[in-house]
Amino acid sequence: MAELSLENIEFIKILATSDATILQAGMNEATRRRLDDEIGTILREYYRENTMGLETGWTEKLSEVGINEDDGKAAIACARRLGIDIS
């Protein structure tokens, strides 16, 4: 299970407020791998909790660090545009 490190929190906040086209232009393979492995895992679990009612705990964890529902949705949308499978 992925952890909610400060770096992961910042990455999710960047996804929530950035244009995917700009991010994609500056993304290298290591960043893409991290996005898919760590951030993708967090966002997939968050998505499942909010759409399927599964108790993953990610909604509460993200809320505690200032990432609200709108930020979560925006981060998921951006990650999808970057080619990360969230479903």
Coordinates of all heavy atoms in Angstrom, one line a residue:
M1 N 0.8 -1.2 0.0 CA 0.0 0.0 0.0 C 0.9 1.2 0.0 O 1.9 1.3 0.7 CB -0.9 0.0 1.2 CG -1.7 1.2 1.4 SD -2.8 1.2 2.8 CE -4.4 1.3 1.9
A2 N 0.5 2.2 -0.8 CA 1.2 3.5 -0.9 C 1.1 4.3 0.4 O 0.1 4.1 1.1 CB 0.7 4.3 -2.1
E3 N 2.1 5.1 0.7 CA 2.0 5.9 1.9 C 1.7 7.3 1.5 O 2.1 7.8 0.4 CB 3.3 5.8 2.7 CG 3.5 4.4 3.3 CD 4.7 4.4 4.2 OE1 5.1 5.4 4.7 OE2 5.3 3.3 4.3
L4 N 1.2 8.1 2.4 CA 0.9 9.5 2.2 C 2.1 10.3 2.7 O 2.0 11.0 3.7 CB -0.4 9.9 2.8 CG -1.0 11.2 2.3 CD1 -1.2 11.2 0.8 CD2 -2.4 11.4 3.0
S5 N 3.2 10.3 1.9 CA 4.3 11.1 2.3 C 4.1 12.6 1.9 O 3.2 12.9 1.1 CB 5.6 10.6 1.6 OG 5.5 10.8 0.2
L6 N 4.9 13.5 2.4 CA 4.8 14.9 2.0 C 5.0 15.0 0.5 O 4.3 15.8 -0.1 CB 5.9 15.7 2.8 CG 5.6 15.9 4.2 CD1 6.8 16.7 4.9 CD2 4.3 16.7 4.5
E7 N 5.9 14.2 -0.1 CA 6.1 14.3 -1.5 C 4.8 13.9 -2.3 O 4.5 14.5 -3.3 CB 7.3 13.4 -1.9 CG 7.8 13.7 -3.3 CD 9.1 13.0 -3.5 OE1 9.4 11.9 -2.9 OE2 10.0 13.5 -4.2
N8 N 4.2 12.8 -1.8 CA 3.0 12.4 -2.4 C 1.8 13.4 -2.3 O 1.1 13.6 -3.2 CB 2.5 11.0 -1.9 CG 3.4 9.9 -2.3 OD1 4.2 10.0 -3.3 ND2 3.3 8.7 -1.7
I9 N 1.7 14.0 -1.1 CA 0.7 15.1 -0.9 C 1.0 16.2 -1.9 O 0.0 16.6 -2.6 CB 0.8 15.6 0.5 CG1 0.4 14.5 1.5 CG2 -0.1 16.8 0.7 CD1 0.7 14.8 3.0
E10 N 2.2 16.6 -2.1 CA 2.5 17.7 -3.0 C 2.2 17.3 -4.4 O 1.7 18.1 -5.2 CB 3.9 18.2 -2.8 CG 4.2 18.9 -1.6 CD 3.2 20.1 -1.4 OE1 3.1 20.9 -2.3 OE2 2.7 20.3 -0.3
F11 N 2.5 16.1 -4.8 CA 2.3 15.6 -6.1 C 0.8 15.6 -6.4 O 0.3 16.0 -7.5 CB 2.8 14.2 -6.3 CG 3.2 13.8 -7.7 CD1 4.5 13.3 -7.9 CD2 2.4 14.0 -8.8 CE1 4.9 13.0 -9.2 CE2 2.8 13.7 -10.0 CZ 4.0 13.2 -10.3
I12 N 0.0 15.2 -5.5 CA -1.5 15.2 -5.7 C -2.0 16.6 -5.8 O -2.9 16.9 -6.7 CB -2.2 14.4 -4.5 CG1 -1.9 12.9 -4.6 CG2 -3.7 14.6 -4.6 CD1 -2.3 12.1 -3.4
K13 N -1.5 17.5 -5.0 CA -1.9 18.9 -5.1 C -1.5 19.5 -6.4 O -2.3 20.3 -7.0 CB -1.3 19.7 -4.0 CG -2.0 19.4 -2.6 CD -1.4 20.2 -1.5 CE -2.1 20.0 -0.2 NZ -1.6 20.8 0.9
I14 N -0.4 19.1 -7.0 CA 0.1 19.6 -8.3 C -0.9 19.1 -9.4 O -1.3 19.8 -10.2 CB 1.5 19.2 -8.6 CG1 2.5 20.0 -7.7 CG2 1.9 19.4 -10.1 CD1 3.9 19.5 -7.7
L15 N -1.2 17.8 -9.3 CA -2.1 17.2 -10.2 C -3.5 17.9 -10.2 O -4.1 18.2 -11.2 CB -2.4 15.7 -10.0 CG -1.2 14.8 -10.3 CD1 -1.6 13.4 -9.9 CD2 -1.0 14.8 -11.8
A16 N -3.9 18.3 -9.0 CA -5.2 18.9 -8.8 C -5.3 20.3 -9.4 O -6.4 20.8 -9.7 CB -5.6 19.0 -7.3
T17 N -4.1 21.0 -9.5 CA -4.1 22.4 -10.0 C -3.4 22.6 -11.3 O -3.2 23.8 -11.6 CB -3.5 23.3 -8.9 OG1 -2.2 22.8 -8.6 CG2 -4.3 23.2 -7.6
S18 N -3.0 21.6 -12.0 CA -2.1 21.8 -13.1 C -2.8 21.3 -14.4 O -3.7 20.5 -14.4 CB -0.8 21.0 -13.0 OG -0.1 21.6 -11.9
D19 N -2.3 21.8 -15.5 CA -2.7 21.3 -16.8 C -1.9 20.1 -17.2 O -0.7 20.1 -17.2 CB -2.4 22.5 -17.8 CG -2.9 22.2 -19.2 OD1 -2.8 21.0 -19.7 OD2 -3.4 23.1 -19.9
A20 N -2.6 19.0 -17.6 CA -2.0 17.8 -17.9 C -1.0 17.9 -19.1 O 0.0 17.3 -19.1 CB -3.0 16.7 -18.2
T21 N -1.3 18.8 -20.0 CA -0.5 18.9 -21.2 C 0.9 19.5 -20.8 O 1.9 19.0 -21.3 CB -1.1 19.9 -22.2 OG1 -2.4 19.5 -22.5 CG2 -0.3 20.0 -23.5
I22 N 0.9 20.4 -19.9 CA 2.2 21.0 -19.4 C 2.9 20.0 -18.6 O 4.1 19.8 -18.7 CB 1.9 22.3 -18.6 CG1 1.3 23.4 -19.5 CG2 3.2 22.7 -17.9 CD1 0.8 24.6 -18.7
L23 N 2.2 19.2 -17.7 CA 2.9 18.2 -16.9 C 3.5 17.1 -17.8 O 4.6 16.6 -17.6 CB 1.9 17.6 -15.9 CG 1.5 18.4 -14.8 CD1 0.4 17.7 -14.0 CD2 2.6 18.9 -13.9
Q24 N 2.7 16.7 -18.8 CA 3.2 15.6 -19.7 C 4.5 16.0 -20.4 O 5.4 15.2 -20.6 CB 2.1 15.2 -20.7 CG 2.4 13.9 -21.4 CD 1.1 13.4 -22.1 OE1 0.3 14.2 -22.5 NE2 1.0 12.1 -22.2
A25 N 4.6 17.3 -20.8 CA 5.7 17.8 -21.6 C 7.0 17.7 -20.7 O 8.1 17.4 -21.3 CB 5.5 19.2 -22.0
G26 N 6.9 17.8 -19.4 CA 8.0 17.8 -18.6 C 8.3 16.5 -17.8 O 9.1 16.4 -17.0
M27 N 7.5 15.5 -18.1 CA 7.5 14.3 -17.4 C 8.5 13.3 -18.0 O 8.5 13.0 -19.2 CB 6.1 13.6 -17.3 CG 6.0 12.6 -16.3 SD 4.3 12.1 -15.9 CE 3.4 12.2 -17.4
N28 N 9.4 12.8 -17.1 CA 10.3 11.7 -17.6 C 9.8 10.4 -17.1 O 8.8 10.3 -16.5 CB 11.7 12.0 -17.0 CG 11.8 12.0 -15.5 OD1 11.0 11.3 -14.8 ND2 12.7 12.7 -15.0
E29 N 10.5 9.3 -17.5 CA 10.0 7.9 -17.2 C 10.0 7.7 -15.7 O 9.0 7.0 -15.2 CB 10.9 6.9 -17.9 CG 10.4 5.5 -17.8 CD 9.0 5.3 -18.3 OE1 8.7 6.0 -19.3 OE2 8.2 4.5 -17.8
A30 N 10.9 8.2 -14.9 CA 10.9 8.0 -13.5 C 9.6 8.6 -12.8 O 9.0 8.0 -12.0 CB 12.1 8.5 -12.8
T31 N 9.3 9.8 -13.3 CA 8.1 10.5 -12.8 C 6.8 9.7 -13.2 O 5.9 9.6 -12.4 CB 8.1 11.9 -13.3 OG1 9.3 12.6 -13.0 CG2 6.9 12.7 -12.8
R32 N 6.8 9.3 -14.4 CA 5.6 8.5 -14.9 C 5.5 7.2 -14.1 O 4.4 6.9 -13.7 CB 5.7 8.2 -16.3 CG 4.6 7.3 -16.8 CD 4.6 7.1 -18.3 NE 4.4 8.3 -19.1 CZ 3.2 8.9 -19.2 NH1 2.1 8.5 -18.6 NH2 3.1 10.0 -19.9
R33 N 6.6 6.6 -13.8 CA 6.5 5.3 -13.0 C 6.0 5.6 -11.6 O 5.2 4.9 -11.0 CB 7.9 4.7 -13.0 CG 7.9 3.2 -12.7 CD 9.2 2.5 -12.9 NE 10.4 3.4 -12.8 CZ 11.1 3.7 -13.9 NH1 10.8 3.4 -15.1 NH2 12.2 4.5 -13.7
R34 N 6.5 6.7 -11.0 CA 6.1 7.0 -9.6 C 4.6 7.4 -9.6 O 3.8 7.0 -8.7 CB 6.9 8.2 -9.1 CG 6.4 8.6 -7.7 CD 7.1 9.7 -7.1 NE 6.5 9.9 -5.8 CZ 7.2 10.1 -4.7 NH1 8.5 10.1 -4.8 NH2 6.7 10.3 -3.6
L35 N 4.2 8.2 -10.6 CA 2.8 8.6 -10.7 C 1.9 7.3 -10.8 O 0.9 7.2 -10.2 CB 2.6 9.4 -12.0 CG 1.2 9.9 -12.3 CD1 0.6 10.7 -11.1 CD2 1.1 10.7 -13.5
D36 N 2.3 6.4 -11.6 CA 1.5 5.2 -11.8 C 1.6 4.3 -10.5 O 0.5 3.8 -10.1 CB 2.0 4.4 -13.0 CG 1.0 3.3 -13.4 OD1 -0.2 3.5 -13.2 OD2 1.4 2.2 -13.8
D37 N 2.7 4.1 -10.0 CA 2.9 3.2 -8.8 C 2.3 3.8 -7.5 O 1.5 3.2 -6.9 CB 4.4 2.9 -8.6 CG 4.9 2.0 -9.8 OD1 4.2 1.5 -10.6 OD2 6.2 1.9 -9.9
E38 N 2.8 4.9 -7.1 CA 2.5 5.4 -5.8 C 1.2 6.3 -5.8 O 0.2 6.0 -5.2 CB 3.6 6.2 -5.2 CG 4.8 5.3 -4.8 CD 5.9 6.1 -4.2 OE1 5.6 7.0 -3.4 OE2 7.0 5.9 -4.5
I39 N 1.3 7.4 -6.6 CA 0.2 8.3 -6.7 C -1.1 7.6 -7.3 O -2.2 7.8 -6.8 CB 0.5 9.6 -7.5 CG1 1.8 10.2 -7.0 CG2 -0.6 10.6 -7.5 CD1 1.8 10.5 -5.5
G40 N -0.8 6.8 -8.3 CA -1.9 6.1 -9.0 C -2.6 5.2 -8.0 O -3.9 5.1 -8.0
T41 N -1.9 4.5 -7.1 CA -2.5 3.6 -6.1 C -3.4 4.4 -5.2 O -4.5 4.0 -4.9 CB -1.4 2.9 -5.4 OG1 -0.6 2.1 -6.3 CG2 -2.0 2.0 -4.3
I42 N -2.8 5.5 -4.7 CA -3.6 6.3 -3.8 C -4.9 6.8 -4.4 O -6.0 6.7 -3.9 CB -2.8 7.5 -3.3 CG1 -1.6 7.1 -2.4 CG2 -3.7 8.6 -2.5 CD1 -0.6 8.1 -2.1
L43 N -4.8 7.4 -5.7 CA -5.9 7.9 -6.3 C -6.9 6.8 -6.7 O -8.1 7.0 -6.7 CB -5.5 8.7 -7.6 CG -4.8 10.0 -7.3 CD1 -4.3 10.7 -8.5 CD2 -5.6 11.0 -6.4
R44 N -6.5 5.6 -7.1 CA -7.4 4.5 -7.4 C -8.2 4.1 -6.1 O -9.4 3.9 -6.2 CB -6.6 3.3 -7.9 CG -6.2 3.4 -9.4 CD -5.6 2.1 -9.9 NE -4.3 1.9 -9.4 CZ -3.2 2.4 -10.0 NH1 -3.3 3.2 -11.0 NH2 -2.0 2.2 -9.5
E45 N -7.5 4.0 -5.0 CA -8.2 3.7 -3.8 C -9.2 4.8 -3.4 O -10.3 4.5 -2.9 CB -7.2 3.4 -2.6 CG -6.4 2.2 -2.9 CD -7.2 0.9 -2.9 OE1 -8.1 0.7 -2.1 OE2 -7.0 0.1 -3.8
Y46 N -8.8 6.0 -3.5 CA -9.6 7.2 -3.2 C -10.9 7.1 -4.1 O -12.0 7.3 -3.7 CB -8.9 8.5 -3.4 CG -9.6 9.7 -3.2 CD1 -9.9 10.2 -2.0 CD2 -10.2 10.4 -4.3 CE1 -10.6 11.4 -1.8 CE2 -10.9 11.6 -4.2 CZ -11.1 12.1 -2.9 OH -11.8 13.2 -2.7
Y47 N -10.7 6.9 -5.4 CA -11.7 6.8 -6.4 C -12.7 5.7 -6.0 O -13.9 5.8 -6.0 CB -11.2 6.5 -7.8 CG -12.2 6.3 -8.8 CD1 -12.9 7.3 -9.4 CD2 -12.5 5.0 -9.3 CE1 -13.8 7.1 -10.4 CE2 -13.4 4.8 -10.3 CZ -14.1 5.9 -10.8 OH -15.0 5.6 -11.8
R48 N -12.2 4.5 -5.7 CA -13.0 3.4 -5.3 C -13.9 3.7 -4.0 O -15.0 3.3 -4.0 CB -12.2 2.1 -5.1 CG -11.6 1.6 -6.4 CD -10.7 0.4 -6.2 NE -10.2 0.0 -7.4 CZ -8.9 -0.3 -7.6 NH1 -8.1 -0.3 -6.6 NH2 -8.5 -0.7 -8.8
E49 N -13.3 4.4 -3.1 CA -14.0 4.7 -1.9 C -15.1 5.7 -2.2 O -16.2 5.5 -1.6 CB -13.0 5.3 -0.9 CG -13.7 5.7 0.4 CD -12.7 6.0 1.6 OE1 -11.5 6.0 1.3 OE2 -13.2 6.3 2.6
N50 N -14.9 6.6 -3.1 CA -15.9 7.6 -3.4 C -16.9 7.2 -4.4 O -18.0 7.8 -4.6 CB -15.2 8.9 -3.8 CG -14.6 9.6 -2.6 OD1 -15.4 10.2 -1.8 ND2 -13.3 9.5 -2.4
T51 N -16.7 6.2 -5.2 CA -17.6 5.7 -6.2 C -18.3 4.4 -5.9 O -19.4 4.1 -6.3 CB -17.0 5.6 -7.6 OG1 -15.9 4.7 -7.6 CG2 -16.5 7.0 -8.1
M52 N -17.5 3.5 -5.2 CA -18.1 2.2 -4.9 C -18.4 2.0 -3.4 O -18.9 0.9 -3.1 CB -17.0 1.1 -5.4 CG -16.7 1.2 -6.8 SD -15.4 0.0 -7.2 CE -14.9 0.6 -8.7
G53 N -18.1 3.0 -2.6 CA -18.4 2.9 -1.2 C -17.5 1.9 -0.4 O -17.8 1.6 0.7
L54 N -16.3 1.6 -1.0 CA -15.4 0.7 -0.3 C -14.6 1.6 0.8 O -14.3 2.7 0.5 CB -14.3 0.2 -1.3 CG -14.9 -0.7 -2.4 CD1 -13.7 -1.1 -3.3 CD2 -15.5 -1.9 -1.8
E55 N -14.5 1.0 1.9 CA -13.8 1.8 3.0 C -12.3 1.6 2.9 O -11.7 0.6 3.3 CB -14.2 1.2 4.4 CG -15.7 1.6 4.7 CD -15.9 3.1 4.8 OE1 -15.0 3.8 5.3 OE2 -17.0 3.5 4.4
T56 N -11.6 2.6 2.2 CA -10.2 2.5 2.1 C -9.4 3.4 3.0 O -8.2 3.3 3.2 CB -9.8 2.8 0.6 OG1 -10.1 4.2 0.4 CG2 -10.5 1.9 -0.4
G57 N -10.1 4.4 3.5 CA -9.5 5.4 4.4 C -8.8 6.6 3.7 O -8.4 7.5 4.4
W58 N -8.8 6.5 2.4 CA -8.0 7.6 1.7 C -8.8 8.9 1.7 O -8.1 10.0 1.7 CB -7.7 7.2 0.3 CG -6.5 6.2 0.3 CD1 -6.5 4.9 0.0 CD2 -5.2 6.5 0.6 NE1 -5.3 4.4 0.2 CE2 -4.4 5.3 0.5 CE3 -4.5 7.7 1.0 CZ2 -3.1 5.3 0.8 CZ3 -3.1 7.6 1.3 CH2 -2.4 6.5 1.2
T59 N -10.1 8.9 1.7 CA -10.8 10.2 1.7 C -10.5 10.9 3.0 O -10.2 12.1 3.0 CB -12.3 9.9 1.6 OG1 -12.6 9.3 0.4 CG2 -13.1 11.2 1.7
E60 N -10.5 10.3 4.1 CA -10.1 10.9 5.4 C -8.7 11.3 5.4 O -8.4 12.5 5.9 CB -10.4 9.9 6.6 CG -10.1 10.5 7.9 CD -10.5 9.6 9.1 OE1 -11.2 8.6 8.9 OE2 -10.0 9.9 10.2
K61 N -7.8 10.5 5.0 CA -6.3 10.8 5.0 C -6.1 12.1 4.1 O -5.3 12.9 4.5 CB -5.5 9.6 4.5 CG -5.4 8.5 5.4 CD -4.6 7.4 4.8 CE -4.7 6.1 5.6 NZ -4.0 5.0 5.0
L62 N -6.7 12.1 2.9 CA -6.4 13.3 2.1 C -7.1 14.5 2.7 O -6.5 15.6 2.6 CB -7.0 13.0 0.7 CG -6.2 11.9 -0.1 CD1 -6.8 11.7 -1.5 CD2 -4.7 12.2 -0.3
S63 N -8.2 14.4 3.2 CA -8.9 15.5 3.9 C -8.1 16.1 5.0 O -8.0 17.3 5.2 CB -10.3 15.1 4.4 OG -10.9 16.1 5.0
E64 N -7.4 15.2 5.8 CA -6.6 15.7 6.9 C -5.4 16.5 6.5 O -4.9 17.3 7.2 CB -6.1 14.5 7.7 CG -7.2 13.8 8.5 CD -6.7 12.5 9.2 OE1 -5.6 12.1 9.0 OE2 -7.6 11.9 9.8
V65 N -5.0 16.4 5.2 CA -3.8 17.1 4.7 C -4.2 18.2 3.7 O -3.4 18.8 3.0 CB -2.8 16.2 4.0 CG1 -2.2 15.3 5.1 CG2 -3.3 15.5 2.8
G66 N -5.6 18.6 3.7 CA -6.0 19.7 3.0 C -6.4 19.4 1.5 O -6.6 20.3 0.8
I67 N -6.6 18.2 1.2 CA -7.0 17.8 -0.2 C -8.5 17.5 -0.1 O -8.9 16.4 0.5 CB -6.2 16.6 -0.7 CG1 -4.7 17.1 -0.8 CG2 -6.8 16.2 -2.1 CD1 -3.8 15.9 -1.2
N68 N -9.4 18.4 -0.6 CA -10.8 18.2 -0.5 C -11.3 17.3 -1.7 O -10.5 16.9 -2.5 CB -11.5 19.5 -0.3 CG -11.3 20.4 -1.5 OD1 -11.2 19.9 -2.7 ND2 -11.3 21.7 -1.3
E69 N -12.6 17.1 -1.7 CA -13.2 16.3 -2.7 C -13.0 16.9 -4.1 O -12.7 16.1 -5.1 CB -14.7 16.2 -2.5 CG -15.4 15.3 -3.5 CD -16.9 15.1 -3.2 OE1 -17.4 15.5 -2.1 OE2 -17.6 14.5 -4.1
D70 N -13.1 18.2 -4.3 CA -12.9 18.8 -5.6 C -11.4 18.6 -6.0 O -11.1 18.4 -7.2 CB -13.2 20.3 -5.6 CG -14.7 20.5 -5.5 OD1 -15.5 19.6 -5.9 OD2 -15.1 21.6 -5.1
D71 N -10.5 18.8 -5.1 CA -9.0 18.5 -5.4 C -8.8 17.1 -5.8 O -8.1 16.8 -6.8 CB -8.2 18.8 -4.2 CG -8.2 20.3 -3.8 OD1 -8.4 21.2 -4.7 OD2 -7.9 20.6 -2.6
G72 N -9.4 16.2 -5.1 CA -9.3 14.7 -5.4 C -9.8 14.4 -6.8 O -9.2 13.7 -7.6
K73 N -11.0 15.0 -7.2 CA -11.6 14.8 -8.5 C -10.6 15.4 -9.6 O -10.4 14.8 -10.6 CB -12.9 15.4 -8.6 CG -14.0 14.6 -7.8 CD -15.3 15.4 -7.9 CE -16.4 14.7 -7.1 NZ -17.7 15.4 -7.2
A74 N -10.1 16.6 -9.3 CA -9.3 17.2 -10.3 C -8.0 16.4 -10.5 O -7.5 16.3 -11.6 CB -9.0 18.6 -9.9
A75 N -7.4 15.9 -9.4 CA -6.2 15.1 -9.5 C -6.4 13.8 -10.3 O -5.6 13.4 -11.1 CB -5.7 14.8 -8.1
I76 N -7.6 13.2 -10.0 CA -7.9 12.0 -10.8 C -8.0 12.3 -12.3 O -7.5 11.6 -13.1 CB -9.2 11.4 -10.2 CG1 -8.9 10.7 -8.9 CG2 -9.8 10.3 -11.2 CD1 -10.1 10.3 -8.1
A77 N -8.7 13.4 -12.6 CA -8.9 13.8 -14.0 C -7.6 14.0 -14.7 O -7.4 13.6 -15.8 CB -9.8 15.0 -14.1
C78 N -6.7 14.7 -14.0 CA -5.4 15.0 -14.6 C -4.6 13.8 -14.7 O -4.0 13.6 -15.8 CB -4.7 16.0 -13.7 SG -3.1 16.6 -14.3
A79 N -4.6 12.9 -13.7 CA -3.9 11.6 -13.8 C -4.4 10.8 -15.0 O -3.6 10.2 -15.8 CB -4.0 10.8 -12.5
R80 N -5.7 10.8 -15.2 CA -6.3 10.0 -16.4 C -5.8 10.6 -17.7 O -5.4 9.9 -18.6 CB -7.8 10.1 -16.3 CG -8.3 9.1 -15.3 CD -9.8 9.2 -15.3 NE -10.4 8.1 -14.5 CZ -11.6 8.1 -14.0 NH1 -12.3 9.2 -14.1 NH2 -12.0 7.1 -13.3
R81 N -5.7 12.0 -17.8 CA -5.2 12.6 -19.0 C -3.8 12.3 -19.2 O -3.3 12.3 -20.4 CB -5.5 14.1 -19.0 CG -6.9 14.5 -19.2 CD -7.1 16.0 -19.3 NE -6.8 16.8 -18.2 CZ -7.5 17.0 -17.2 NH1 -8.7 16.5 -17.1 NH2 -7.1 17.8 -16.2
L82 N -3.0 12.0 -18.2 CA -1.6 11.6 -18.3 C -1.5 10.1 -18.6 O -0.4 9.6 -18.7 CB -0.9 12.0 -17.0 CG -0.7 13.4 -16.8 CD1 -0.2 13.7 -15.4 CD2 0.2 14.1 -17.8
G83 N -2.6 9.4 -18.7 CA -2.5 8.0 -19.1 C -2.5 7.0 -17.9 O -2.2 5.8 -18.1
I84 N -2.8 7.5 -16.7 CA -2.8 6.6 -15.6 C -4.2 6.0 -15.4 O -5.2 6.7 -15.4 CB -2.4 7.4 -14.3 CG1 -1.1 8.1 -14.5 CG2 -2.4 6.5 -13.1 CD1 0.1 7.2 -14.9
D85 N -4.3 4.7 -15.3 CA -5.5 4.0 -15.1 C -6.0 4.1 -13.7 O -5.3 3.7 -12.8 CB -5.4 2.5 -15.5 CG -6.7 1.7 -15.3 OD1 -7.8 2.3 -15.5 OD2 -6.6 0.5 -14.9
I86 N -7.1 4.8 -13.5 CA -7.7 5.0 -12.2 C -8.8 4.1 -11.8 O -9.1 3.8 -10.7 CB -8.1 6.5 -12.0 CG1 -7.0 7.4 -12.2 CG2 -8.8 6.8 -10.7 CD1 -5.8 7.3 -11.2
S87 N -9.5 3.6 -12.8 CA -10.7 2.8 -12.5 C -10.5 1.5 -11.8 O -9.5 1.0 -11.4 CB -11.4 2.4 -13.8 OG -10.6 1.8 -14.7

